[in-house]
């Protein structure tokens, strides 16, 4: 049996694949703006010429049952909470930043036991090549993605 391990960072003509930590948080949709405000106070979540980079899934239903020690007290019935999303973002592998982000999430999350997952991943970063003639880029097409400043 071969040992499973993360691929090493590598480059192609257009992209660098770099090691990051992907952080995933589960929370009620109404918590996300507050959580992300506190995360970006720790680190800007920068990706090239963009910041505040994160991804949120569509809302789903979380299942759980409070046991002894839960803030709500022990219950016999499994609860279902609709409107829970997962948000993920990438951090440069820096233990100090990760600890600050985890603590920030914990302090502003509405759960007694917030779900915070950290995975070692390879993430693409563009080399910023000239794409003015690439017909597949947003800025070379018409569409409603552009927003006027103001």
């Amino acid at each position: 049996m071969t040992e499973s391990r993360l691929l090493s960072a590598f480059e192609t003509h257009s992209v660098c694949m770099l090691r990051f930590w992907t952080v995933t948080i589960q929370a009620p949709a109404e918590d996300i703006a507050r959580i992300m405000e506190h995360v970006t106070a720790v680190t800007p979540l920068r990706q090239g010429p963009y910041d505040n980079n994160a991804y949120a899934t569509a809302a789903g239903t979380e299942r759980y049952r409070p046991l002894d020690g839960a803030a709500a007290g022990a219950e016999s019935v499994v609860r279902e909470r609709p409107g829970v999303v997962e948000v993920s973002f990438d951090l440069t592998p820096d233990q100090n930043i990760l600890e600050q982000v985890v603590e920030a999430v914990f302090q502003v999350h509405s759960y007694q036991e917030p779900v915070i997952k950290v995975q070692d991943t390879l993430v693409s970063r563009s080399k910023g090549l000239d794409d003015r003639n690439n017909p597949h880029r947003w800025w070379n097409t018409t569409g409603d993605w552009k927003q006027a400043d103001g």
Side-chain angles (χ1 to χ4, degrees), residues 74-92:
E75 297 180 12
S76 60
V77 177
V78 173
R79 290 185 181 192
E80 291 191 357
R81 180 181 181 134
V84 175
V85 300
E86 283 192 339
V87 174
S88 62
F89 51 86
D90 300 319
L91 298 177
T92 300

Side-chain angles (χ1 to χ4, degrees), residues 31-145:
D31 287 1
I32 298 305
R34 179 179 67 247
I35 290 170
M36 293 310 297
E37 177 183 336
H38 285 80
V39 167
T40 57
V42 173
T43 183
L45 300 179
R46 186 163 177 158
Q47 184 173 337
Y50 302 90
D51 68 4
N52 285 274
N53 285 279
Y55 177 79
T57 64
T61 302
E62 181 178 53
R63 291 176 39 93
Y64 64 98
R65 179 174 55 204
L67 301 174
D68 287 333
E75 297 180 12
S76 60
V77 177
V78 173
R79 290 185 181 192
E80 291 191 357
R81 180 181 181 134
V84 175
V85 300
E86 283 192 339
V87 174
S88 62
F89 51 86
D90 300 319
L91 298 177
T92 300
D94 179 316
Q95 189 71 32
N96 182 49
I97 296 295
L98 178 61
E99 289 172 8
Q100 290 179 58
V101 165
V102 167
E103 185 63 22
V105 170
F106 187 85
Q107 291 300 321
V108 299
H109 201 293
S110 62
Y111 289 0
Q112 181 179 7
E113 290 288 340
V115 176
I116 305 169
K117 300 175 186 177
V118 181
Q119 294 178 297
D120 220 2
T121 56
L122 287 181
V123 178
S124 64
R125 291 297 184 255
S126 168
K127 291 184 176 178
L129 303 177
D130 182 358
D131 276 346
R132 284 180 284 188
N133 296 318
N134 185 331
H136 305 290
R137 299 292 184 242
W138 285 2
W139 53 90
N140 293 333
T141 63
T142 58
D144 62 358
W145 65 270

